[in-house]
Amino acid sequence: MKKHLLALLAAITLTHGATAQTQQLFDFGWQFTQNEKTTRVDLPHDWDIYSAPIPENSTTGTGGGWYPAGKGEYRKTFNTPKGERVKLHFEGVYQKAEVFVNGQKAGQHHYGYTPFTVDITNCLKPVNNLNEVLVKVNNSEQPNCRWYSGSGIYRHVWLQTMPSLHIAENGIYVTTPEVSEQQARVQVEVTVENESPTDRNATVVVGNSQLMVAVAAGQTKTVTTTLFVRNPRLWSPDNPALNRLDVQLKENGNVIDERSTKYGIRSFSFDAQKGFVLNGKPMLITGACVHHDDGVLGAMAFDDAEIRKVRQMKEAGFNLIRTSHNPSTRAFLDACDSLGMMVIDEAFDGWRQAKNPYDYSTVIDSCYREDIHAMVMRDRNHPCIISWSIGNEVMERKDIRVVHTARQMKAAILEKDATRPVTEALCSWDSDWEIYDPHAEVLDVAGYNYMIHKHATDHQRAPERVIWQTESFPRDAFNNWAVTNDHPYVVGDIVWTGLDYLGESGIGRYYYQGETPGEHYVEGGIPDWHGAYCGDVDVTGWRKPISHYREMLWTDDAPLYMAVKEPNGYHGDIKETAWSVWPTWESWTWKGWEGKPVEVEVYTKLPEVRLYLNDQLIGTKQVSRKTKYKAVFTVPYQPGTLRAVADNQSVSLSTAGEPALLRLTPDRTVMAADGQSLTFVIAEVLDREGNVVPEAAIPCEATVKGAGTLLAFASADLKDREPTVTPKATTWKGRAMLVVRSTKKKGSAKLTVKSSLPTATLTLKTR
């Protein structure tokens, strides 16, 4: 009996000690200390966004949006979990993170945009005892980033437990080397890691395949198998079909670990004669560069905010996003997979020659392989990714040694994934473009920043080169579409940018005579601005007219759209900058401009547009490629209703009266009671007829009670210095946005917005 009892206890111990990997969200209940002040915070957290952008007190400068940066510390206590190995996985900390557990240094990581994992097993107290983790964050060496980085643990943290013999982190690698509509060959590589002191034998189970694996102590071992999928659903932007792969690890017949991953089946190629081909069909690429911040939330990377960012770009007609100029989040890429958005996954902004005194050039030789591998291994199963990018406008481009660096970067990618082309964004601000040919030859697809005018002569000189314009000026939308449409070796255009963003203050702005003149990079910067206005979509999610025009160029079935150019002199003498477009609005409200000319633009590929004002025909315009698919009318302004008609489509704008009420429109009415769900609420100032009042600047104050908290309240005015996470905001162009965060309680959250107008309320459910 005693012998049987010992055997049973041994079996229980083995089974308990070999529990499969678990992952617990570790975001809640941190103590944040900065400048000797301690507050309770839940992650994601960006301490910069809680401050006002003040040029006089800023070390980040115009690039960082005049935010403070600095140093901070995060502490959290937790019970020792059960598991042979215990690790903390950080999706992103900006930057120079050091991790301590119970006073022992467990790990560190410099680059703020790549994930890292710290093994804390040997720092822990026995099971069920209390431990303290301390994360020191140092973003004080400024400037280091050319845009708003944010500061702190701004992405998720996970507490992981696992048996000592387990499927390695990012250890499932899925590729689709052969794809047709009838059958796909799916290759699966599984890496097993043995962190125990003895050699181990195990079995990897993938589908019907069982693969024996022997892993020496302290080593890893990779096994490979092939699956066949008949009549596969092929992933594409129009049909983002995903598959799930489950993998088990068995030892002595018992399952000791199991993991799953999603993947997509698709084939693609880049060719100078055929262009970009996805699943056997040619496709033009219309892309957007997107920075990592989420506008009014700063760098705080909530999943719902990342999903919303991708959805906004999808709705704006884009089919590709370039993650300029750093790896994005897992949630962002998951959204691209599920919504159907192709991606250029970019590693770095610059290399060895500095753009800023404390940028990546200070650590590149010690970190670049680690950071590239972190990006590629985390992201390589995402079908949305069609290219890796190794850099952007590197400063040492005239030094021939740059070719060696490019080869190093490319080699680091190919060590972990050879199924996608490697690109890089090249540029020239002088006449020396052709000298970069040896650099371009390293790349599988050459990225041109603002250099598409060189395409014809480059094609004559290098006929096999495949080109995409990795950055373009927003106002060049028609020419960039035309070049891509007409020349197969130019596979796409990627505008700078899809979204307005924080930092790089003043790029894309228009301004009035008497304001600070010049581009955003003038000496001293543009202190009045803390963000970039070059996006097709502003920080509240409003699509600017240029967004509708661009969508119409690339999409034959885009709806009829009409907007009005702000009359020069209405608010002042308008000046443009290189990345700007003329201020154009969905407005027929120009009080005081009666009888004076106003320019109306209608965007369509339909052949004819008729324009009416107060039901009187103003004129008829023919539309074609010769008119750049615009019908432009000059109309003496008078109040009323402006209506454009093309075939059976029509669109109208009506003159707004005085502000009468606030309308609150949420993007959802039900949130998960998980403390992480977000609802984005648009607040609009309306007149009594329900028209948005386009010049309304109404100070407002918001409160949230119940099962939610107010996370942010702000307008799209990038000159407003009120911190975006306070309850106060002033509408700009008649609009602002609130963000409500759920708590862990089920029930309802009541949002109230008070102003000089009647109080507006909205109730959201949490469950």
Side-chain angles (χ1 to χ4, degrees), residues 536-594:
D536 275 22
V537 180
D538 74 19
V539 296
T540 69
W542 180 69
R543 290 180 61 187
K544 303 174 189 176
I546 186 63
S547 170
H548 295 274
Y549 180 60
R550 194 183 316 281
E551 180 191 17
M552 179 273 303
L553 291 173
W554 295 87
T555 309
D556 290 336
D557 59 353
L560 188 70
Y561 181 81
M562 176 171 61
V564 178
K565 296 178 71 173
E566 181 178 315
N568 198 15
Y570 186 76
H571 288 298
D573 188 13
I574 297 171
K575 306 295 180 181
E576 286 201 74
T577 56
W579 280 266
S580 72
V581 295
W582 191 274
T584 306
W585 311 101
E586 296 171 349
S587 171
W588 191 241
T589 305
W590 304 99
K591 186 176 180 180
W593 203 254
E594 287 77 7

Side-chain angles (χ1 to χ4, degrees), residues 290-337:
V290 172
H291 269 318
H292 79 115
D293 72 90
D294 282 310
V296 301
L297 302 182
M300 295 186 289
F302 289 87
D303 290 5
D304 284 343
E306 298 288 274
I307 294 166
R308 179 175 181 267
K309 187 158 53 178
V310 177
R311 184 178 291 114
Q312 286 175 321
M313 296 295 89
K314 183 81 173 180
E315 292 172 351
F318 294 111
N319 60 21
L320 177 140
I321 291 173
R322 174 184 174 219
T323 67
S324 49
H325 305 290
N326 49 264
S328 190
T329 64
R330 187 188 300 271
F332 179 90
L333 295 174
D334 285 343
C336 290
D337 284 344

